[in-house]
């Protein structure tokens, strides 16, 4: 005999998220806005890079992108139809403060102010990211993130943004994926500004960290007390290929230069000794890191944003042929200063349209490991999603079951991590719209909403409807 409830609870067959779990979607300024020369905006490093022949697939640029700058009202309507509770967008620094120095540009701020008002009117909580890779070109001309001055400028820009929007935006993230800015931007060179020098990459990492510290201080000083401050890191879930000590050491090295180079000073008191040792021949850390820097970078945060797409499987060089595409993009230059010899392997199983392994266990493991490493710090998934070669069906719609499956598997992993004690407060799907996927141009589509780049027509895919049901029920089907 076992007890049977008289009526099955409504939740049978579904995995429910905690009450108040925040459901959102994310985008970034250069990937969707277009209007690159309007409202006083000056060029960013991504304008320069995308207009440099050979840097972006198909010669694509963000000049027009999704034309969101002109169509933001339509896009907010779309968000409210999906039932989005929050929208994570980024501010284009060269719109807010052209050239990266001096006073704010009223027209640039006005765009974001109107967007924020529109979101609030629609009941969608605005979540602002200060930096999603579009450094003002003038600052790059002065050395970019490899120059310490850029960190100081970033703090000033943060204050301008917070003064203008802080009365209405209650959740801020400073940097998006500083790993990409530093190591793809200055190491492998597959991202803007396209420089390829391991020492510059590490200098950039430190100055991004310092910029985060300066911005956090500026936001704290300017925002009302209830506002929350976060950073979004693409923490790598690094697995060794085997239990061989050489492979374990390869994993330790990549964990250091992918993750702990940021979480060390931001959350754990300073740069890890093993990172400094692994890279001592590349930079002089004692000169790079000034007294007080680590304390500034370690200013307390309210939330850690994690962007997750795929794990990393690594080994020492002896382990045979390797899949280096994920590690290096199309560049002969390594994004891993001091650990250039580490081999990257394609994990087994299916891949997305990016060629990235689909591995929701990696997300679960990453959430659990991050929770254990930083107890008491709330987490949110600030990006997760997948590109697939979407095809319009005869009915005119996009039946992107592969994307639904990806989202379902990853949300189930988040649900399991919460059940096992991880304090995950929300989830932001990447991305609301198909958009300019950096060096891949427009060919790779991550949107829950399809964008026809000729007509700018938006068509919600099946995944958008699936996500709307997920939000509406605060649950996913238990499979
Ligand atoms: C992340 C970026 C985001 C988008 C996704 C696919 O690394 O933050 O802009 O390109 O990958």
């Amino acid at each position: 005999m076992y007890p049977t409830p008289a009526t099955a609870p409504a939740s049978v067959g579904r995995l429910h998220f905690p009450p108040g779990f925040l459901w959102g979607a994310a985008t970034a300024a250069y990937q969707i806005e277009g209007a690159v020369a309007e409202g006083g905006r000056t060029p960013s490093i991504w304008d320069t890079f995308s207009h440099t022949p050979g840097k972006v697939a198909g010669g694509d640029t963000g000049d027009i992108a999704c034309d969101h700058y002109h169509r933001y009202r339509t896009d907010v309507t779309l968000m409210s139809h999906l039932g989005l509770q929050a929208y994570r967008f980024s501010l284009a620094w060269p719109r807010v403060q052209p050239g990266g120095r001096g006073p704010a540009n009223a027209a640039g701020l006005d765009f974001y102010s109107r967007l924020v008002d529109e979101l609030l009117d629609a009941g969608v909580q605005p979540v602002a990211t200060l930096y999603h890779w579009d450094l003002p070109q003038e600052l790059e001309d002065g050395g970019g993130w490899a120059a310490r001055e850029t960190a100081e400028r970033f703090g000033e820009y943060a204050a301008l943004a917070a003064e203008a929007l802080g009365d209405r935006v209650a959740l801020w993230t400073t940097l998006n994926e500083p790993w990409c800015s530093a190591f793809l931007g200055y190491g492998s060179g597959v991202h803007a500004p396209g420089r390829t020098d391991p020492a510059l990459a590490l200098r950039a990492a430190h100055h991004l960290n310092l910029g985060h510290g300066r911005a956090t201080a500026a936001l704290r000083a300017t925002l009302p007390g209830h506002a929350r401050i976060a950073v979004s890191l693409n923490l790598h879930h690094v697995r060794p290929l085997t239990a061989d000590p050489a492979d374990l050491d390869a994993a330790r090295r990549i964990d250091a230069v992918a993750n702990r180079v940021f979480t060390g000073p931001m959350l754990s008191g300073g740069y890890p000794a093993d990172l400094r040792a692994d890279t001592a021949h590349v930079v002089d850390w004692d000169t790079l890191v000034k007294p007080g820097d680590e304390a500034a970078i370690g200013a307390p945060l309210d939330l850690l944003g994690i962007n997750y797409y795929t794990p990393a499987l690594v080994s020492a060089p002896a382990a045979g042929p390797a899949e280096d595409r994920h590690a290096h993009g199309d560049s002969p230059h390594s994004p891993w200063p001091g650990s250039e010899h580490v081999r990257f392997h394609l994990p087994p199983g299916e891949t997305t349209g990016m060629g990235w392994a689909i591995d929701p266990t990696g997300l679960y493991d990453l959430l659990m490991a991050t929770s254990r490493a930083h107890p008491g710090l709330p987490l949110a998934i600030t990006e997760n999603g997948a590109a697939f070669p979407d095809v319009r069906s005869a009915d005119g719609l996009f039946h992107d079951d592969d994307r639904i499956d990806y989202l379902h598997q990853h949300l189930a992993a988040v649900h399991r991590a919460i059940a096992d004690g991880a304090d995950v407060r929300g989830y932001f799907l990447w991305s609301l719209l198909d958009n300019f996927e950096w060096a891949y141009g427009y060919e790779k589509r991550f949107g829950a909403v399809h964008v026809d780049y000729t007509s700018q027509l938006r068509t919600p895919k099946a995944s958008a409807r699936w996500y709307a049901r997920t939000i509406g029920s605060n649950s996913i089907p238990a499979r």
Side-chain angles (χ1 to χ4, degrees):
M1 277 288 286
Y2 51 88
T4 10
T7 46
S11 61
V12 159
R14 296 193 72 86
L15 302 175
H16 282 263
F17 286 76
F21 190 80
L22 189 64
W23 295 99
T27 64
Y30 190 70
Q31 295 182 276
I32 65 165
E33 285 180 1
V36 291
E38 288 183 48
R41 181 186 181 280
T42 54
S44 77
I45 54 174
W46 267 98
D47 296 272
T48 309
F49 190 75
S50 67
H51 280 270
T52 306
K55 298 297 186 190
V56 173
D60 292 345
T61 73
D63 288 2
I64 298 172
C66 306
D67 196 31
H68 171 78
Y69 184 79
H70 297 116
R71 295 168 194 266
Y72 71 94
R73 286 203 175 87
T74 318
D75 291 337
V76 173
T77 304
L78 206 53
M79 295 177 213
S80 83
H81 286 163
L82 293 180
L84 286 191
Q85 298 167 349
Y87 172 56
R88 173 176 177 252
F89 61 98
S90 79
L91 310 183
W93 186 349
R95 231 184 249 299
V96 170
Q97 190 191 35
R101 286 189 183 82
N105 167 34
L109 280 174
D110 184 55
F111 168 67
Y112 295 110
S113 188
R114 284 182 282 124
L115 171 64
V116 164
D117 286 343
E118 197 76 16
L119 289 165
L120 292 172
D121 283 350
V124 181
Q125 181 183 327
V127 179
T129 295
L130 286 171
Y131 187 73
H132 202 127
W133 307 354
D134 41 4
L135 185 72
Q137 181 60 44
E138 285 87 340
L139 293 186
E140 178 56 33
D141 296 342
W145 287 110
R148 187 177 170 93
E149 198 214 323
T150 299
E152 308 300 344
R153 298 287 80 76
F154 187 60
E156 292 168 13
Y157 153 66
L160 297 178
E163 278 157 20
L165 304 172
D167 56 334
R168 287 157 292 156
V169 178
L171 178 53
W172 294 74
T173 70
T174 55
L175 303 172
N176 177 74
E177 301 192 359
W179 183 83
C180 295
S181 301
F183 298 103
L184 300 182
Y186 296 82
S188 67
V190 298
H191 279 189
R195 302 177 77 177
T196 54
D197 178 332
L200 292 186
L202 285 170
R203 293 177 61 79
H206 177 57
H207 297 139
L208 282 151
N209 277 329
L210 187 62
H212 160 80
R214 296 283 191 259
T216 301
L219 292 177
R220 270 299 170 227
T222 313
L223 296 173
H226 68 267
R228 289 179 300 158
I229 303 172
V231 64
S232 286
L233 302 178
N234 56 322
L235 292 180
H236 291 58
H237 178 62
V238 187
R239 293 199 189 106
L241 186 65
T242 73
D244 186 288
D247 290 352
L248 296 179
D249 192 59
R252 177 200 59 73
R253 283 175 160 273
I254 297 303
D255 176 50
V257 72
N259 301 326
R260 290 181 288 116
V261 64
F262 301 108
T263 58
M266 286 181 184
L267 303 171
S268 302
Y271 286 102
D274 64 329
L275 169 77
R276 284 182 177 238
D278 291 347
T279 54
H281 60 290
V282 186
V283 283
D284 178 1
W285 284 93
D286 292 336
T287 319
L288 179 60
V289 182
K290 310 278 183 234
D293 282 4
E294 285 161 310
I297 299 166
L301 290 177
D302 304 307
L303 185 85
L304 174 63
I306 296 178
N307 296 358
Y308 175 86
Y309 292 91
T310 193
L313 182 61
V314 304
S315 74
E323 164 59 67
D324 269 331
R325 204 155 43 107
H326 176 65
H328 301 298
D330 285 333
S331 172
H333 303 278
S334 170
W336 306 108
S339 293
E340 294 87 351
H341 60 284
V342 170
R343 290 272 177 87
F344 281 72
H345 305 264
L346 184 65
E350 292 180 27
T351 56
T352 68
M354 301 296 282
W356 297 347
I358 300 174
D359 191 335
T361 309
L363 177 56
Y364 171 83
D365 291 344
L366 181 63
L367 287 171
M368 296 312 292
T370 308
S371 292
R372 278 192 296 271
H374 309 289
L377 179 64
L379 309 176
I381 308 298
T382 41
E383 285 181 26
N384 175 242
F388 286 107
D390 299 321
V391 180
R392 196 188 284 271
S393 301
D395 59 8
L397 300 176
F398 296 91
H399 300 281
D400 55 342
D401 294 342
D402 37 16
R403 185 172 290 104
I404 292 174
D405 198 46
Y406 180 99
L407 297 176
H408 183 275
Q409 290 187 57
H410 286 76
L411 281 168
V414 174
H415 186 274
R416 182 155 76 96
I418 294 171
D420 290 347
D423 184 8
V424 188
R425 303 285 178 94
Y427 176 93
F428 291 77
L429 182 154
W430 185 273
S431 181
L432 175 70
L433 303 169
D434 289 338
N435 60 49
F436 175 78
E437 180 44 37
W438 308 114
Y440 295 90
Y442 294 101
E443 201 210 315
K444 303 295 184 196
R445 293 177 175 272
F446 276 88
V449 175
H450 178 270
V451 176
D452 177 328
Y453 294 112
T454 308
S455 65
Q456 288 295 345
L457 191 72
R458 276 82 161 128
T459 307
K461 304 174 192 175
S463 58
R465 287 185 288 277
W466 182 89
Y467 194 50
R469 283 195 296 279
T470 300
I471 298 171
S473 64
N474 196 33
S475 69
I476 55 170
R479 284 195 194 158

